[in-house]
Amino acid sequence: MLRFICLWLAAANLMLPVETLDGKARAVPGDIAKPAVLVVTFDRAATDEGAEWSARLRETVPAAGVYQVAILEDVPSFVRGFVIGQMKRSVPSSMHSNFLIATKRSDEWKRFAGYSYGAVPYVLVIGRDGEMRVRDHGKFDRSKLAAIREAWQSAP
């Protein structure tokens, strides 16, 4: 029982450090606008699908509430700057504040996202209260989009 309470408290107080593409330090979920939808990718193979999710979500919910998160801890540090530079050039500057880079604590990100394998994006809905409302993963799907939009709209 005590172990469960400790795990619950740790999850409730979880703050994952990130940096925006425009260079600002943030923590998720605390420092992001809520309700929010996070599209999290752990692997280069998931990048294109993650970008599609983000684009479709921005058509459905206010863009300020959609965040794309790239987990780069496993990218070797000598290449990481190049990868981030490529991201800065490929992501429109108007979206840099909603594009988040995580370079540490990837194991905690995996638990947060409900990770099972890396080659797909993970889509998370966080309510105004900071609680996780939806955890999903996979390629873009219109029926999933409808469920995510509904969760975002009704998130307390």
Side-chain angles (χ1 to χ4, degrees), residues 142-154:
R142 287 196 184 283
S143 63
K144 287 183 180 183
L145 178 64
I148 289 165
R149 181 181 58 235
E150 172 71 25
W152 185 88
Q153 290 173 334
S154 63

Side-chain angles (χ1 to χ4, degrees), residues 1 9 14 25-28 38 42 46 59 63 74 79 86 88 90-92 96-97 106 121 126 143-144 149:
M1 180 69 150
L9 286 172
L14 182 68
R26 299 276 187 260
V28 172
L38 279 68
F42 293 92
E59 295 169 358
D74 293 339
V79 188
Q86 289 291 100
K88 284 181 181 179
S90 66
V91 173
H96 282 195
S97 62
S106 61
I126 300 173
S143 63
K144 287 183 180 183
R149 181 181 58 235

Side-chain angles (χ1 to χ4, degrees), residues 17-19 69-74 80 100-104 109:
V18 294
E19 188 172 301
V69 185
I71 310 299
L72 301 181
E73 183 173 12
D74 293 339
R80 198 177 291 156
L100 311 175
I101 306 293
T103 58
K104 47 188 150 185
W109 271 102

